[in-house]
Amino acid sequence: MLDSLDLSTTPGADPAIEVRDLYKSYGAVRAVDGLSFSVPTGEIFGMLGPNGAGKSTTVEILIGLRQRDGGEVRVLGRDPKRHPTAIKRRIGVQLQITALYPRLTVQETVKLFASFFPKTLPVAKTIARVGLEEKAGDRVDRLSGGQAQRLSVALAMINDGDIIFLDEPTTGLDPQARRSLWDVILELKEAGKTVFLTTHYMDEAERLCDRVAVVDHGQIIAMGSPAKLIRDNFHEQALEFNQPALGNHVDLQTLPGVIRMQREGEITTLYTDQAPRTIAALMEASANANLPVSDMTVRQATLEDVFLKLTGRRIRE
Amino acid sequence: MKAFIQLVIANIKELLRDRMSMFWFIAFPIFFILLFGAIFSGSEDTTSFAVGVVQQDNGPIAKGLEAALTSAPVVKLHIGAQDAELAALRKGSRDLVIILPAGLSSAVRNRHRVKIPVYYDGTKQMSSQVGIPLVEQVLNQVEAQATGHPLLLEARPQAVQAVTLKEIDYLLPGILAMALMQLGLFSALRLVSLRERKILKRLGATPLPRGLLIISEVTVRLLLAMMQALLIVIIGRLVFGVTIVSSWYLVAAWVLLGACTFVSLGYMLVSFARTMESGQGIIQLVQFPMMFLAGTFFPISFIPGFLQPLVKAMPLTYLADALRQVITGNPPLFSIGADLGILLAWLAGSLFLGIRFFRWE
Ligand SMILES: Nc1ncnc2c1ncn2[C@@H]1O[C@H](COP(=O)(O)OP(=O)(O)O)[C@@H](O)[C@H]1O
Ligand SMILES: [Mg+2]
């Protein structure tokens, strides 16, 4: 069965996760509607999509918490339907809803979860890795949102699993708390872990993920590295500058790379698929005409633009 | 094993840090025992027990009996003529009248059996249940001394303990049974709450076997049940002087069986509930009638006939009956074997249904 799965991954190494034609419905709701992807070992893989896209359902199927309706799933080479316990021993999980015993302390909670696994990292060290040393003796119900989330990540790390699943780890956190969690996640990658992350933050996916699957209504609508996704969908970059008079001296549309031009008040925007050459030509024209340009920016399309282009909607309504 | 111990520790810590639950855990039995103990123990005064003695012998053993009765702790002795004493009994100013017939002392010394008439008021429960055994006790003691039986025989004063029945002796085991029922039934709600708070789901994402979680939950509840039972028995002893007629082990075994039965029943009941509220509702619905119909506060013979089938079906009826037998030695309503059988049946039935139907999500 496994041999028949050919999902074009990094050749050589066995992929950490393989999913083909995954389906899951809740009554009439098709939560996951034919997902196929593969995550090579050591990659941070992101599922990016709006609420209700089917991210949590996918995670819960992969970690053996839910039964799929159809399709093939392999996690660390095994089917979570048939070997849930074996897989759970070797993965770390953070569910979207942080649900812990409220009256236990941080340390007690980590210790409790450590007792569920045959082999674990030291409790104190794990707490330190998510930066909660000073809160180790505090009760869970007295933690801030960011601290609770970090505790939840610590629990996902405690068994030193090969794959760490993080379901919207930074949702609802302030920017600083998000950034410190990003650092923890990047350290996981450095430690050689595979990270499966869901998010509905574009910047998070762009910053953390080696590859992203953009999902909507339970289907993947685009997949690849963030840079590739943007490149594939937006050949142009937007070159903006302030020098209204320059257009009277040079036909800007004929500069190399320029596809379209737009003027809004003082600001001229050149859409180009060869930004460096366009910029060089623009600088030359500006020098020749003795009309210096100011406020020049080159704007990159973002994953937000990708989502907008593919679905006609913004990812966060 | 490591996981089991940690789960038990975590569970106990959670409980100890929950002030409200701890308060009720301790206050509930104290409250019930003190309240009902106070209400019912006022009805018959046991402190002074009026005993009339008609001395017709005046021999050494008869005198010894008289002296022993005088020094008996709850007895207030009156010595008089037979007619006067029996008249006093009829008027209610004596609880018992004992006739020490002429020739008693010499008969005892010659090892002849002597019948000692003891008159009592048949309408007064206390007289027959407490007074007569008390007199028998005194007689045995004096006889033992007089006839020089070895100390071995003297050292088994069972009679007084076994049958000193007061209202509290009826109430205390019933209250204990009720406390076990409530603790047991409501213990399953914690699992529903863990489910509702998604903690169960989080635990499901670890390799922890579900069975181990349940076993740890139940273990903690059984520990609590034992502690609460101990608390009740100790209060009963300190405040009302209730002593255990059988052994502590036997009582502990019944407490454990009762707790197991009601914990299982609780799990079975909540397996039909989707939320905390509905679970609570179902449990209340079951525990409320049991609380009043199982003979906790008054004997089940007071309950009208059409309710008797219900009374006879409820596990609490049997647990209370068994506890009354092993703690205070109340006369059995059912044989101890019947109590055991029916509780075990409830335990097995609810265990089966609970395991079958509990929803994890
Ligand atoms: N237990 C459930 N019962 C019914 N519908 C559900 C359940 N869980 C999720 N859904 C539905 O399935 C869809 C996908 O949900 P989810 O996987 O949680 O998406 P995401 O994590 O991307 O927000 C949503 O429409 C959601 O309402
Ligand atoms: Mg989700």
Side-chain angles (χ1 to χ4, degrees):
Chain A
M1 193 77 239
L2 202 57
D3 297 350
S4 67
L5 282 170
D6 177 22
L7 293 156
S8 66
T9 63
T10 344
D14 273 344
I17 301 170
E18 288 178 281
V19 172
R20 197 176 61 184
D21 295 333
L22 183 62
Y23 287 92
K24 175 75 184 178
S25 300
Y26 300 108
V29 181
R30 295 180 146 200
V32 175
D33 196 8
L35 292 188
S36 294
F37 59 84
S38 168
V39 182
T41 301
E43 182 175 272
I44 300 186
F45 182 85
M47 258 185 121
L48 174 67
N51 279 331
K55 304 184 295 294
S56 296
T57 303
T58 306
V59 168
E60 288 170 15
I61 290 170
L62 293 184
I63 65 177
L65 262 188
R66 269 185 209 287
Q67 299 298 324
R68 59 185 185 263
D69 293 344
E72 283 299 317
V73 175
R74 291 290 181 280
V75 175
L76 297 167
R78 293 179 130 168
D79 184 345
K81 195 191 254 174
R82 283 196 284 156
H83 306 281
T85 310
I87 289 174
K88 284 170 189 172
R89 283 207 187 100
R90 291 183 55 201
I91 61 173
V93 175
Q94 186 225 16
L95 297 177
Q96 184 169 359
I97 299 160
T98 311
L100 299 167
Y101 293 98
R103 288 183 289 271
L104 293 187
T105 67
V106 168
Q107 187 176 356
E108 287 162 354
T109 304
V110 179
K111 198 171 166 197
L112 174 67
F113 275 73
S115 75
F116 303 157
F117 297 93
K119 266 202 307 202
T120 57
L121 298 173
V123 169
K125 195 177 132 198
T126 308
I127 292 174
R129 268 174 79 187
V130 296
L132 281 178
E133 315 82 317
E134 282 170 23
K135 296 283 166 189
D138 284 21
R139 274 168 55 160
V140 167
D141 57 3
R142 304 207 175 120
L143 297 179
S144 72
Q147 288 161 349
Q149 209 71 339
R150 273 188 278 165
L151 171 58
S152 193
V153 173
L155 297 180
M157 289 162 51
I158 186 66
N159 62 325
D160 200 21
D162 299 324
I163 311 177
I164 312 292
F165 290 87
L166 303 171
D167 194 359
E168 300 202 18
T170 68
T171 298
L173 300 191
D174 59 66
Q176 204 197 330
R178 291 180 65 202
R179 243 161 270 271
S180 72
L181 252 181
W182 287 356
D183 290 339
V184 174
I185 295 167
L186 290 170
E187 278 169 29
L188 285 174
K189 180 185 159 73
E190 269 167 40
K193 306 293 178 198
T194 306
V195 178
F196 188 100
L197 175 90
T198 77
T199 182
H200 59 219
Y201 292 116
M202 302 295 164
D203 54 342
E204 185 162 287
E206 285 183 38
R207 170 97 171 75
L208 295 178
C209 297
D210 298 312
R211 282 193 314 135
V212 175
V214 182
V215 288
D216 194 29
H217 298 304
Q219 294 177 323
I220 293 179
I221 51 176
M223 183 156 60
S225 72
K228 178 175 181 292
L229 283 180
I230 294 161
R231 241 186 296 121
D232 286 356
N233 288 284
F234 295 92
H235 301 291
E236 316 129 47
Q237 284 172 303
L239 177 63
E240 293 177 345
F241 63 89
N242 186 347
Q243 179 47 276
L246 189 60
N248 303 332
H249 291 261
V250 192
D251 185 2
L252 296 171
Q253 301 248 33
T254 63
L255 293 181
V258 172
I259 296 159
R260 246 168 342 117
M261 185 181 77
Q262 200 176 338
R263 285 185 66 165
E264 267 175 280
E266 304 271 275
I267 304 294
T268 307
T269 307
L270 298 176
Y271 290 93
T272 168
D273 57 0
Q274 298 173 53
R277 291 188 62 199
T278 311
I279 292 167
L282 181 68
M283 295 327 278
E284 200 185 312
S286 153
N288 289 343
N290 202 18
L291 289 168
V293 297
S294 57
D295 301 340
M296 190 168 83
T297 54
V298 182
R299 197 163 58 74
Q300 192 81 39
T302 64
L303 282 177
E304 182 80 52
D305 299 307
V306 175
F307 193 82
L308 188 62
K309 184 182 166 193
L310 293 175
T311 66
R313 290 179 291 121
R314 297 207 159 260
I315 200 158
R316 306 186 65 202
E317 287 94 66
Chain B
M1 201 59 208
K2 189 174 55 159
F4 171 76
I5 292 169
Q6 286 298 322
L7 278 168
V8 168
I9 292 174
N11 199 331
I12 291 174
K13 277 180 179 162
E14 277 258 303
L15 270 166
L16 290 177
R17 290 170 195 170
D18 180 0
R19 300 263 161 74
M20 204 59 188
S21 302
M22 279 319 285
F23 172 76
W24 282 114
F25 174 71
I26 295 171
F28 169 82
I30 297 182
F31 172 78
F32 264 95
I33 296 180
L34 294 186
L35 180 72
F36 288 99
I39 289 173
F40 289 108
S41 64
S43 58
E44 269 178 291
D45 186 8
T46 59
T47 48
S48 76
F49 213 74
V51 175
V53 169
V54 180
Q55 183 61 271
Q56 297 173 341
D57 182 59
N58 281 320
I61 290 175
K63 275 291 177 199
L65 275 172
E66 200 184 304
L69 282 168
T70 314
S71 59
V74 292
V75 171
K76 197 164 183 302
L77 204 66
H78 303 264
I79 297 174
Q82 184 163 353
D83 292 350
E85 287 304 313
L86 287 178
L89 178 66
R90 261 175 231 112
K91 275 195 295 177
S93 54
R94 299 282 182 277
D95 293 295
L96 290 176
V97 173
I98 301 167
I99 315 286
L100 302 176
L104 179 141
S105 300
S106 53
V108 169
R109 206 164 297 140
N110 298 328
R111 308 248 164 141
H112 290 304
R113 292 191 62 84
V114 182
K115 288 221 169 86
I116 299 178
V118 177
Y119 295 88
Y120 66 95
D121 182 348
T123 63
K124 277 194 187 169
Q125 226 189 7
M126 291 304 291
S127 308
S128 52
Q129 287 188 342
V130 183
I132 295 174
L134 193 87
V135 170
E136 281 171 350
Q137 168 78 6
V138 171
L139 292 182
N140 287 344
Q141 264 176 16
V142 172
E143 186 186 5
Q145 278 166 10
T147 56
H149 284 307
L151 278 168
L152 211 61
L153 283 174
E154 238 176 285
R156 298 182 61 204
Q158 273 191 340
V160 155
Q161 277 189 356
V163 242
T164 339
L165 284 180
K166 296 172 281 180
E167 294 290 349
I168 190 71
D169 291 322
Y170 183 84
L171 275 170
L172 185 118
I175 289 173
L176 173 57
M178 187 176 76
L180 290 174
M181 171 187 74
Q182 298 205 322
L183 190 101
L185 288 184
F186 283 102
S187 62
L189 270 188
R190 193 177 127 89
L191 203 64
V192 179
S193 138
L194 290 179
R195 183 178 66 192
E196 207 161 85
R197 288 181 286 161
K198 306 274 185 203
I199 296 177
L200 225 47
K201 184 173 176 181
R202 180 63 188 86
L203 294 176
T206 73
L208 174 74
R210 283 169 174 176
L212 200 60
L213 175 71
I214 299 294
I215 293 171
S216 77
E217 287 287 324
V218 171
T219 303
V220 171
R221 293 295 144 170
L222 296 183
L223 280 175
L224 285 180
M226 296 300 264
M227 277 164 55
Q228 203 168 46
L230 192 65
L231 192 68
I232 289 174
V233 170
I234 287 175
I235 294 169
R237 179 169 203 155
L238 294 182
V239 181
F240 298 102
V242 176
T243 49
I244 289 179
V245 296
S246 71
S247 74
W248 284 86
Y249 297 114
L250 194 59
V251 174
W254 278 100
V255 166
L256 208 58
L257 173 63
C260 284
T261 305
F262 284 108
V263 168
S264 309
L265 186 59
Y267 275 91
M268 185 198 91
L269 292 175
V270 301
S271 70
F272 299 109
R274 284 189 181 279
T275 61
M276 275 289 276
E277 284 73 32
S278 62
Q280 222 148 5
I282 294 172
I283 291 173
Q284 292 288 10
L285 207 68
V286 170
Q287 72 116 4
F288 213 66
M290 279 210 264
M291 195 163 143
F292 290 104
L293 297 181
T296 309
F297 303 116
F298 44 83
I300 57 171
S301 55
F302 290 11
I303 294 164
F306 73 98
L307 284 174
Q308 285 294 337
L310 181 62
V311 169
K312 299 240 163 69
M314 299 183 315
L316 187 61
T317 308
Y318 300 93
L319 178 63
D321 180 52
L323 288 175
R324 273 193 291 267
Q325 292 186 45
V326 298
I327 295 179
T328 49
N330 274 263
L333 293 172
F334 310 97
S335 76
I336 203 92
D339 290 335
L340 184 67
I342 290 174
L343 282 178
L344 285 174
W346 271 101
L347 174 61
S350 29
L351 213 54
F352 174 75
L353 292 174
I355 291 171
R356 189 81 199 274
F357 292 111
F358 186 78
R359 285 193 204 90
W360 290 87
E361 291 169 31

